[in-house]
């Protein structure tokens, strides 16, 4: 990251007294890692008040992250979240670049930014492709750090705050959050991970005192019995393989999830499993969910949401398919989207279109 960009970010943090950090709906490891990592840096300064707000709950296996217990969840305490936004002089967005990615909270954020105009600072740090038309205006008080080539938002936060000096002045909690975000958004460095710079940073985080093996165990080896049985059911009963196009599809209804006492995070990693099959290069996982309060603003009246996750191998993109068919996007080999409506319709949409994209 250029020194001039880092200086701009430094000025925003230095000038902010009441800071709110936001991240996206269904927060994952990178959303929490990047936002909590930023929080730890700002909280080190005694003259600042800083809070992390997310639209809805995050998986239990991320609840151990330093600072996670202090996160304000908009769906559970919208009054507190809105009060913090109203009082904020600085808003930092991590792992998303459009208000719609945080649902109803995004409308509140947009209203506050419009009302306060140039008296509020806005910093956006993200690694997803910017939409062709952004709802956030281009103006001096809104700084956008968008690098779709970066493997994670957490890495961008690290580069913005630490640079390439190799010295991490912000402590082990900061390093733990950043490493967790980098690890989870690359599937433990198994996709979108051919970046030499990323491994330099990992080395610096280990040198700062993180226990990478313990972090891995907390994230990937903390399955419930229900989650283990759910995975077995998916692979034995629900996986379809389309051999001609080297593609696998798994989809689960709400009733099936309920049968296995599904909790947020239990589906993590299922989409990767079919890629272990010889000659399967594309994998799609769909699960039915209820539309949350945060999502009603763009659910078009539907009470059901289908969460779509996709993975691929090598030089075979899935982000274009997710963008075109499911209004999503992401990395070339790791993308996702949503469909508001019945599961059967989402499955049909996939089956009707996948052959045009996957060869």
């Amino acid at each position: 990251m250029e020194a001039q960009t880092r200086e701009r970010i430094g000025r925003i943090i230095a000038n902010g007294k009441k800071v709110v950090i936001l991240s996206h709906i269904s927060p994952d490891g990178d959303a929490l890692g990047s936002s909590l990592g930023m929080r730890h840096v700002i909280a080190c300064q005694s003259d600042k008040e800083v809070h992390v707000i997310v639209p809805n709950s995050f998986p239990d296996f991320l609840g151990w992250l330093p600072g996670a217990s202090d996160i304000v969840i908009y769906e559970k305490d919208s009054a507190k979240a809105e009060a913090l936004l109203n009082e904020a002089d600085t808003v930092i967005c991590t792992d998303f670049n459009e208000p719609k990615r945080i649902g109803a909270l995004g409308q509140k954020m947009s209203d506050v930014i419009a009302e306060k105009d140039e008296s509020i600072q806005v910093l956006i740090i993200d690694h997803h492709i910017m939409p062709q038309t952004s709802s956030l205006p281009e103006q001096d008080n809104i700084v956008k750090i968008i690098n779709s080539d970066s493997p994670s938002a957490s890495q961008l936060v690290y580069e913005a705050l630490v640079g390439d000096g190799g010295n991490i002045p912000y402590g082990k909690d900061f390093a733990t959050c950043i490493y967790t975000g980098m690890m989870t958004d690359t599937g433990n460095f198994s996709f979108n991970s051919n970046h030499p710079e990323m491994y330099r940073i990992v080395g610096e985080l280990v040198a700062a005192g993180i226990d990478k093996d313990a972090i891995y165990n907390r994230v990937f080896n903390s399955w419930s019995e229900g989650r283990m049985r759910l995975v077995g059911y998916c692979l034995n009963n629900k996986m379809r393989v389309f051999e001609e196009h080297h593609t696998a599809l798994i989809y689960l209804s709400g009733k099936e999830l309920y049968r296995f006492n599904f909790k947020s995070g239990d589906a993590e990693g299922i989409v990767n499993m079919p890629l272990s099959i010889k000659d399967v290069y594309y994998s799609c996982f769909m699960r039915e969910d209820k539309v949350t309060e945060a999502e009603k603003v763009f659910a078009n009246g539907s009470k059901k949401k289908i969460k779509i996750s996709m993975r691929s191998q090598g030089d075979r993109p899935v982000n274009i398919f997710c963008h075109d068919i499911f209004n999503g996007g992401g990395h070339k080999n790791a993308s996702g989207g949503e469909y508001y409506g019945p599961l059967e319709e989402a499955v049909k949409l996939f089956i009707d279109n996948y052959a045009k994209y996957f060869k």
Side-chain angles (χ1 to χ4, degrees):
M1 188 174 292
E2 294 181 357
Q4 184 178 7
T5 301
R6 292 187 60 232
E7 288 174 5
R8 290 186 73 189
I9 294 171
R11 285 196 297 270
I12 290 173
I13 293 174
N15 293 332
K17 301 302 180 184
K18 292 193 173 183
V19 183
V20 166
I21 303 172
L22 307 174
S23 204
H24 58 71
I25 287 174
S26 300
D28 55 12
D30 193 26
L32 295 190
S34 57
S35 58
L36 288 173
M38 180 67 76
R39 174 189 176 274
H40 285 298
V41 171
I42 297 173
C44 288
Q45 304 173 47
S46 60
D47 63 336
K48 301 183 186 303
E49 179 183 333
V50 57
H51 299 272
V52 175
I53 304 174
V54 295
N56 57 350
S57 297
F58 47 85
D60 290 344
F61 63 77
L62 295 172
W64 61 271
L65 280 167
S69 61
D70 295 325
I71 291 175
V72 178
I73 299 173
Y74 183 70
E75 278 191 350
K76 295 182 178 180
D77 197 347
S78 60
K80 181 177 181 178
E82 292 184 4
L84 291 171
L85 265 172
N86 286 332
E87 296 170 2
D89 58 33
T90 303
V91 173
I92 300 176
C93 306
T94 65
D95 205 28
F96 76 100
N97 58 53
E98 268 296 297
K100 70 176 184 179
R101 291 285 286 118
I102 57 173
L105 182 59
Q107 185 59 59
K108 178 61 181 178
M109 180 189 80
S110 297
D111 291 344
V112 168
I113 292 172
E115 180 182 345
K116 296 191 176 185
D117 196 20
E118 294 186 3
S119 67
I120 191 169
Q121 303 180 109
V122 181
L123 172 61
I124 301 168
I125 300 182
D126 189 28
H127 66 131
H128 298 101
I129 297 172
M130 283 283 292
Q132 291 183 347
T133 303
S134 175
S135 61
L136 291 172
E138 298 288 342
Q139 54 194 54
D140 291 342
N141 65 310
I142 299 179
V143 177
K144 300 178 182 181
I145 311 299
I146 313 293
N147 182 0
S148 58
D149 292 328
S150 178
S152 67
S154 295
Q155 179 168 324
L156 288 175
V157 168
Y158 181 94
E159 292 169 346
L161 299 176
V162 179
D164 56 4
N167 179 34
I168 302 176
Y170 304 120
K172 184 178 176 181
D173 285 350
F174 165 80
T176 295
C177 291
I178 294 299
Y179 179 81
T180 302
M182 293 175 65
M183 178 188 72
T184 53
D185 230 36
T186 57
N188 195 33
F189 309 103
S190 64
F191 54 81
N192 196 34
S193 56
N194 287 322
H195 302 271
E197 181 72 2
M198 181 176 69
Y199 296 100
R200 178 189 68 79
I201 293 171
V202 168
E204 292 172 3
L205 294 170
V206 172
I210 68 165
D211 187 337
K212 61 180 292 295
D213 296 339
I215 293 172
Y216 176 90
N217 281 326
R218 281 179 150 173
V219 173
F220 294 112
N221 290 338
S222 58
W223 289 26
S224 64
E225 179 185 348
R227 183 180 178 186
M228 182 68 78
R229 293 187 183 279
L230 174 67
V231 169
Y233 175 75
C234 286
L235 298 178
N236 189 58
N237 297 80
K238 300 296 295 186
M239 183 174 67
R240 297 177 61 180
V241 176
F242 306 93
E243 294 183 2
E244 182 180 357
H245 293 277
H246 310 285
T247 300
L249 170 65
I250 297 172
Y251 52 93
L252 293 170
S253 68
K255 289 183 179 180
E256 289 170 312
L257 294 170
Y258 180 80
R259 173 182 167 186
F260 292 96
N261 193 29
F262 181 82
K263 296 179 180 179
S264 177
D266 280 358
E268 191 74 21
I270 292 176
V271 66
N272 298 308
M273 294 179 177
L275 296 179
S276 298
I277 302 171
K278 182 180 179 181
D279 295 330
V280 170
Y281 308 138
Y282 304 92
S283 176
C284 178
F285 175 74
M286 298 182 182
R287 66 174 176 87
E288 185 181 70
D289 202 354
K290 294 179 180 179
V291 172
T292 67
E293 287 295 325
E295 296 166 320
K296 285 182 178 179
V297 66
F298 44 75
N300 297 320
S302 175
K303 295 182 179 180
K304 297 292 184 181
K305 176 187 75 172
I306 312 305
K307 178 70 176 176
I308 295 109
S309 299
M310 294 203 66
R311 299 290 185 269
S312 63
Q313 294 182 349
D315 191 24
R316 302 176 179 92
V318 288
N319 54 347
I320 299 172
F321 177 85
C322 287
H323 176 272
D324 292 353
I325 307 302
F326 291 113
N327 194 33
H331 300 304
K332 179 176 69 174
N333 298 120
S335 299
E338 292 86 26
Y339 182 81
Y340 293 94
L343 177 61
E344 295 78 12
E345 290 182 6
V347 171
K348 185 176 186 302
L349 199 57
F350 177 88
I351 292 174
D352 288 348
N353 289 279
Y354 81 97
K356 305 171 189 174
Y357 291 82
F358 306 149
K359 307 296 181 184

